[in-house]
Amino acid sequence: MSRLHLQRKLRLGWAASPSQRQRCIQELQSKLYLHLSKVASSYVGYGAVFNLEFSPNGSILVAACEDNAMKFYDPLSLKQIHCVPKAHTDCVNCIRFLDDRTFATGSDDCTVALWDYRNMKQKISQLKGHSNWVKSIEYSRSMGQLITSGFDGKVYAWNINSYSTEAAKPTELLCLDRLMRTRLTGDDSKMVLSTSLGYYVVIHGLEIDSLAQDLQDFVFDEYYLLLQEKGSMALTDHRSNHVFHRRRNRVELVTDFPKESFPWCISSLVVHPQGWCMMSRFTSEMEDSEWTCVHDIQGSRPNGTKNIYDSCEQEKDLPFHPEERLLYYMSEPNDGRGYIKELSVSPDGRFICSSFGYGVRLLSFSDACGELCDLDPRGGDPKELQEKCLLTSHKRTVVTSRFSPTHPTLVTGCLEGKVVFHEARL
């Protein structure tokens, strides 16, 4: 896109209504991602880069490193500004900001740590409860609670409002034996979980305070395996059917995938910024292929068979009927076997960044890079994602990426321990 064309679009936008003007700005910003190029790089010096995270205002970038460390960068100057060599006693896996200065980290040492960037000499507190690697951290703003999950299959809620050095014990929300990732939608109305058994769990009408009680005695894997083996009608009298039909904390199992993909380990999971869909990357059962998929998670699909009841007496005999949720898909290379390749999504929700060998590619829902709400793909056959841009700036497999929330900037990290900054250049 030429500068003249950008100026023309801006003039047209400023002559329109406020909503049209905002839409015009978003469209212009999305076009900038098609002009990304490498502008700087840095070696962290602490093994592979497993995760990258920006602060909400875009002023800080944190890299989670294989060798127990965290590194901090200024996204404007593109320079390293701080390092914590011994943030944990094992790999740092994930980072989640609570606000512009406070953030949490999860590690293979089975702990979660709270930090304040204004004083990095010590942790605010260390949260102990998981018995295996911590792989997901979410923050419920409406409840003021930290939600964590790990390879122990447990999802915990932590009341961190006290900010004490020894935090209170967590509340166990649920247990899912083959759990891989846990995510919340931005409005805290849904919890989405992926598994290493080839299915997802979506909890609609999320109420964290009552989740443990509502899902008491429900065994996710058991129900899924029975569903796959015997079908819905054979589960008419199953004791747990009520969890699929309640209004509060309603469970849905998502089980549809591209043909011949043979899903198994769904290791990467992100949610659209507006909560419209979930994006994931999974490995096939034989570990010979990988796929990126986009599934709808909004309510019940058109012409769905679900009836939502208030009374357990009405719903207890209704078995679960899986809906067709798959919207888009893309076959991926199977480089860097054994390592998780984390997806990221642009702030406007139009682009998915996915690892592609020694680089990344930007995938969109349509050739014109349209918004999902304008395309309305529900009701038709799943479509292939469109490759819009390929960026190759590493010498080893890329395993993580992150878009800046405030600037047309994309940062990638690889197994070599290299962080690369890409910015839009017209």
Side-chain angles (χ1 to χ4, degrees), residues 180-247:
M180 291 299 295
R181 290 289 187 270
T182 303
R183 298 286 181 250
L184 299 180
T185 54
D187 60 359
D188 295 339
S189 66
K190 298 179 182 68
M191 178 182 288
V192 184
L193 308 100
S194 67
T195 72
S196 61
L197 202 55
Y199 73 98
Y200 309 86
V201 177
V202 181
I203 301 176
H204 301 270
L206 180 65
E207 293 187 17
I208 291 175
D209 285 347
S210 58
L211 184 59
Q213 177 184 350
D214 289 346
L215 297 184
Q216 187 177 14
D217 300 326
F218 178 59
V219 183
F220 292 89
D221 288 350
E222 175 192 87
Y223 197 99
Y224 168 74
L225 291 172
L226 287 172
L227 185 67
Q228 294 297 102
E229 180 183 353
K230 299 182 178 181
S232 296
M233 297 312 298
L235 298 174
T236 299
D237 297 320
H238 195 279
R239 66 186 183 280
S240 297
N241 283 337
H242 63 278
V243 305
F244 300 106
H245 305 287
R246 66 172 84 246
R247 293 185 182 275

Side-chain angles (χ1 to χ4, degrees), residues 326-337:
L326 180 64
L327 302 177
Y328 297 94
Y329 63 90
M330 175 65 82
S331 177
E332 300 278 16
N334 193 22
D335 299 318
R337 291 191 181 189

Side-chain angles (χ1 to χ4, degrees), residues 27-269:
E27 289 181 0
L28 288 172
Q29 289 176 334
S30 70
K31 297 297 183 184
L32 292 175
Y33 292 122
L34 301 178
H35 299 273
L36 291 171
S37 61
K38 176 182 175 181
V39 293
S41 64
S42 172
Y43 284 95
V44 298
Y46 290 93
V49 179
F50 284 158
N51 195 242
L52 294 162
E53 187 72 16
F54 280 93
S55 60
N57 63 7
S59 64
I60 304 169
L61 172 71
V62 188
C65 303
E66 179 182 18
D67 293 340
N68 313 350
M70 294 187 296
K71 279 210 169 182
F72 298 77
Y73 296 87
D74 179 347
L76 295 181
S77 68
L78 310 178
K79 295 181 179 180
Q80 179 188 323
I81 52 178
H82 193 64
C83 177
V84 181
K86 297 180 180 179
H88 285 270
T89 58
D90 209 330
C91 304
V92 184
N93 295 319
C94 48
I95 304 165
R96 179 67 63 190
F97 273 89
L98 284 61
D99 53 41
D100 289 333
R101 297 296 177 185
T102 312
F103 62 95
T105 56
S107 169
D108 280 3
D109 66 10
C110 308
T111 69
V112 176
L114 287 176
W115 306 82
D116 188 326
Y117 181 71
R118 293 164 294 188
N119 179 17
M120 294 299 297
K121 293 182 179 180
Q122 63 180 11
K123 305 166 185 175
I124 296 175
S125 62
Q126 187 173 34
L127 312 181
K128 297 180 180 179
H130 285 286
S131 59
N132 208 324
W133 303 344
V134 179
K135 291 294 186 178
S136 298
I137 302 176
E138 294 288 289
Y139 180 56
S140 171
R141 297 188 183 280
S142 61
M143 297 294 295
Q145 295 188 65
L146 208 63
I147 309 298
T148 66
S149 70
F151 282 176
D152 56 2
K154 301 295 180 63
V155 178
Y156 287 132
W158 308 80
N159 185 353
I160 57 173
N161 293 322
S162 64
Y163 283 90
S164 62
T165 54
E166 290 296 330
K169 291 184 178 180
T171 300
E172 182 179 325
L173 301 181
L174 60 88
C175 181
L176 206 174
D177 287 342
R178 305 295 288 272
L179 178 62
M180 291 299 295
R181 290 289 187 270
T182 303
R183 298 286 181 250
L184 299 180
T185 54
D187 60 359
D188 295 339
S189 66
K190 298 179 182 68
M191 178 182 288
V192 184
L193 308 100
S194 67
T195 72
S196 61
L197 202 55
Y199 73 98
Y200 309 86
V201 177
V202 181
I203 301 176
H204 301 270
L206 180 65
E207 293 187 17
I208 291 175
D209 285 347
S210 58
L211 184 59
Q213 177 184 350
D214 289 346
L215 297 184
Q216 187 177 14
D217 300 326
F218 178 59
V219 183
F220 292 89
D221 288 350
E222 175 192 87
Y223 197 99
Y224 168 74
L225 291 172
L226 287 172
L227 185 67
Q228 294 297 102
E229 180 183 353
K230 299 182 178 181
S232 296
M233 297 312 298
L235 298 174
T236 299
D237 297 320
H238 195 279
R239 66 186 183 280
S240 297
N241 283 337
H242 63 278
V243 305
F244 300 106
H245 305 287
R246 66 172 84 246
R247 293 185 182 275
R248 182 186 72 189
N249 293 324
R250 174 169 63 90
V251 174
E252 178 182 2
L253 306 183
V254 179
T255 61
D256 58 329
F257 294 89
K259 294 180 180 179
E260 309 301 325
S261 64
F262 306 107
W264 193 246
C265 185
I266 310 170
S267 56
S268 177
L269 181 69

Side-chain angles (χ1 to χ4, degrees), residues 258 261 268 279-284 287-294 328-337 341-344 352-357 359-364 384-387 389-390 398:
S261 64
S268 177
M279 297 92 155
S280 64
R281 181 159 172 161
F282 66 85
T283 305
S284 65
E287 298 187 359
D288 55 355
S289 66
E290 295 187 22
W291 296 76
T292 289
C293 289
V294 179
Y328 297 94
Y329 63 90
M330 175 65 82
S331 177
E332 300 278 16
N334 193 22
D335 299 318
R337 291 191 181 189
K341 292 94 175 179
E342 302 285 3
L343 297 176
S344 62
I352 302 168
C353 182
S354 182
S355 170
F356 192 80
V360 295
R361 58 180 175 178
L362 299 189
L363 307 174
S364 68
E384 192 170 16
L385 289 164
Q386 302 293 308
E387 180 181 328
C389 181
L390 177 63
V398 173

Side-chain angles (χ1 to χ4, degrees), residues 277-315:
C277 62
M278 60 181 175
M279 297 92 155
S280 64
R281 181 159 172 161
F282 66 85
T283 305
S284 65
E285 187 173 358
M286 299 301 294
E287 298 187 359
D288 55 355
S289 66
E290 295 187 22
W291 296 76
T292 289
C293 289
V294 179
H295 288 83
D296 174 32
I297 58 173
Q298 298 182 82
S300 188
R301 293 290 299 275
N303 303 317
T305 58
K306 283 185 179 294
N307 293 309
I308 311 302
Y309 298 97
D310 290 317
S311 170
C312 289
E313 288 299 316
Q314 289 178 290
E315 67 195 31

